[in-house]
Amino acid sequence: MENYKKEFIEFMVDCQVLKFGDFVTKSGRKTPFFVNTGFYRTGSQLRRLGQYYAEAINNRFGLDFDVLFGPAYKGIPLSVAAAIAISEKYGADIKYCSNRKEIKDHGDKGILLGSPITDGDRVVIIEDVTTAGTSIEETLPIIKAQADVSPVGLVVSVDRMERGKGEKSALAEIEEKYGLKTTAIVTMAEVVEHLYNKEYKGKVIIDDKLKASIDAYYEKYGVK
């Protein structure tokens, strides 16, 4: 596993973004692990996060696109941090854009924050995590309502590696249904590989009991 992936996993643990316990996902699944990018809360954390996203975006999509779109609300700081990191790391000036939950009718009117989306724009969508593809179904109509565009890709921080609404993984379903390329900074398999029965800062994050819970979750929701 590449060093930047190991660093990112430990970074998520340090920021309390990656948590283990009993949670319920947006799609209603009970899960023993959860990724919440809302816990990136400082300037230095967002700067590092943007750098990890920038590397994942460049590795998968290159930099031949126009707009980085982050769905409200969590996608707003993600799009800003990643756009800044792309500029600093690669010298590419990518526009950022996000949506409002409610349309503004005065001042800077409309549903969008940041750059407008115009006909022909190549758009990469940035999210925290995709479990069953629920969020992308809400996001794509917003983008396509703004202009004649064809989104080219989706990047998430963690690929949960579980089924979407059918038998394929959520990311594979998104690729097939919408024609989008997808990528993640790390996969849950890589998270487990790096943390299982290994001490990090004096503590074993994933012990045998937690590993069994994760395995049971994938028995139910994993790709067959």
Side-chain angles (χ1 to χ4, degrees):
M1 189 190 314
E2 298 96 322
N3 280 334
Y4 84 93
K5 290 177 177 283
K6 295 177 183 178
E7 290 176 7
F8 181 65
I9 292 166
E10 294 170 2
F11 175 58
M12 286 194 293
V13 172
D14 289 342
C15 295
Q16 300 182 54
V17 165
L18 175 63
K19 294 185 176 183
F20 298 95
D22 296 309
F23 307 97
V24 178
T25 67
K26 186 175 182 178
S27 57
R29 296 174 179 176
K30 293 183 179 179
T31 172
F33 55 91
F34 199 73
V35 178
N36 184 355
T37 56
F39 276 82
Y40 295 118
R41 292 175 172 171
T42 71
S44 62
Q45 289 172 349
L46 285 172
R47 186 173 184 275
R48 283 188 65 188
L49 177 63
Q51 291 169 345
Y52 290 123
Y53 266 113
E55 187 154 358
I57 290 167
N58 185 52
N59 286 346
R60 176 63 166 138
F61 310 120
L63 300 173
D64 189 23
F65 64 97
D66 305 293
V67 180
L68 190 58
F69 185 89
Y73 287 106
K74 290 179 183 176
I76 296 174
L78 298 182
S79 63
V80 173
I84 292 171
I86 288 171
S87 174
E88 291 179 343
K89 191 175 180 69
Y90 302 110
D93 207 18
I94 302 295
K95 297 181 286 188
Y96 95 91
C97 181
S98 296
N99 64 296
R100 295 181 173 96
K101 289 290 188 179
E102 297 179 356
I103 297 175
K104 188 178 177 185
D105 60 4
H106 61 281
D108 181 18
K109 296 181 180 180
I111 197 171
L112 299 183
L113 298 166
S115 172
I117 295 176
T118 58
D119 289 350
D121 276 348
R122 295 155 296 177
V123 182
V124 170
I125 300 165
I126 184 169
E127 293 191 352
D128 54 351
V129 64
T130 293
T131 302
T134 307
S135 179
I136 200 73
E137 290 181 351
E138 301 169 355
T139 300
L140 283 174
I142 294 171
I143 295 173
K144 291 185 175 182
Q146 310 309 310
D148 182 14
V149 299
S150 296
V152 297
L154 167 69
V155 57
V156 298
S157 59
V158 180
D159 179 359
R160 289 180 60 99
M161 299 182 66
E162 58 195 80
R163 294 197 309 276
K165 296 182 178 180
E167 294 302 313
K168 296 182 179 180
S169 74
L171 290 183
E173 285 183 355
I174 288 168
E175 289 195 350
E176 186 176 277
K177 183 174 181 179
Y178 301 109
L180 292 176
K181 294 180 180 179
T182 64
T183 194
I185 302 171
V186 294
T187 67
M188 271 307 297
E190 290 168 333
V191 170
V192 173
E193 175 189 339
H194 186 56
L195 296 179
Y196 176 48
N197 274 347
K198 296 174 185 174
E199 198 170 278
Y200 176 64
K201 292 187 175 179
K203 181 181 179 181
V204 173
I205 307 294
I206 300 179
D207 57 15
D208 289 336
K209 182 179 179 180
L210 179 54
K211 176 67 160 52
S213 296
I214 294 172
D215 289 345
Y217 183 77
Y218 280 113
E219 274 293 314
K220 188 172 184 179
Y221 294 115
V223 179
K224 301 299 183 183

